[in-house]
Amino acid sequence: MPAEVRRSRTQVGIVGAGPAGLLLSHLLARRGIDSVVAELRSREYCEARQRAGVLEQGSVDLLRAAGLGGRLDAEGLEHGGIYLQFGGERQHLDFRELTGRTVTVYAQTEVVKDLIAARLAAAAAIEFEVTGTEVAGLETDRPVLSFTAADGGRHEVTCDVIAGCDGFHGICRAAIPAARQTVSEREYPYAWLGILARVPPSTDELIYAHHRRGFALHSLRSPAVSRLYLQVPPGTDVAAWPDDRVWAELQTRLGRPGWDLKEGPVLEKGVTPMRSYVSEPMRHGRLFLAGDAAHIVPPTGAKGLNLALADVAVLAQALGALLLEGRAGLADAYSDTCLTRVWRSTHFSWWMTTMLHPTPGADAMESRLQLAQLRYVTTSRSAATSLAENYTGYPPLLPGAG
Ligand code: FAD
Ligand code: DHB
């Protein structure tokens, strides 16, 4: 006999407990709107998944205004610029001086831990390790979120609105009829191999390095832990990159006379594909997509996490107006409002990526153009300001903070 279905009611059904879904649930609760979050993975998995590391100033302001600034302010590392390395030189871009703005190194793992702790402290409904997630009735005013909970019970949650915050491989985007979606996509002929290493950073600011053997990035997570990336061919198997080979290649690509790249035990290693992807509009009926569920950028420039947070800041405000006051204007504008920022970041990430990564098999022309552009952004104050303005977050202010 089929198990009994447990029926319940909430205002917003949220699919996914990544940064987008968790922050949305938190911002809605601050407005007195209840939600149910359904997440495929375990809490431990969500909290340990190694991803982004850099928060724009607007993201930091948003998290602070939402009452999530405690550990972020104590442990986040404020950075006032970056280094661009090319043709044997290392040039500093001073964001603070150029724009008056900064970024903060605070890992996505920590943002997720803070959000889960805040939601659970408020006795929020987060179901981890669900299976069989489905969304239905999207074109009605009572959409339904269904899933099988970790204990095997099947749930049907009737909602006013569903938020698809289930990342690039989730089910929500696929629930929108193809004829109602426009997809723009570009794959890049390279990937990133990332390592997390227990070694103090060898630099005070992130180093983005253009090298004829491929791009390299020196980032960090804390005064004791470094995060480093290497451009590798797409589909690279991490098994082909034992730790010694990773460090040797990082030494080659990042190395400069008189500067020492410190090595240490590798704690984690993984390969990330590089893709630009935007699905428009970000709404279908009563389904609103946010974060990676709607768009992906290549990681160069650290925009993915920031875009996810920006989307849900807009969405929380729009749903507040819709569900508390019956005003639909902000919800109707949600997709266009978000897509303005999404396309700006999509362009910036594409531009940073193509400036810094040699295309395999490209002729000397590409390299000369990349070096000319790198020279320009490190010598022209206008060009440097443009990079700094985008890197620290453009438009600078996130709406609906807190
Ligand atoms: P996600 O973090 O993907 O969260 C979606 C959640 O939905 C997940 O927890 C998932 O388990 C859940 N889910 C999926 N399907 C279902 C389902 N059917 N039912 C229920 N739940 C479901 N950005 C940077 O800025 N810098 C980086 O260095 C960087 N590195 C990255 C490395 C990798 C491997 C990846 C995948 C992304 C990286 N990003 C990086 C991008 C950044 O991490 C994302 O933009 C960010 O995680 C987006 O948050 P999100 O909440 O929209 O999606
Ligand atoms: C990191 C990732 C990025 O894509 C980037 O541009 C800067 C930093 C990071 O993981 O620390």
Side-chain angles (χ1 to χ4, degrees), residues 51-54 192 206 208 217 219 221 227 229 299-302 391:
R51 287 187 169 177
V54 177
W192 277 13
L206 273 63
Y208 288 81
L217 170 61
S219 182
R221 287 292 175 266
R227 177 88 168 141
Y229 296 97
T300 334
Y391 196 102

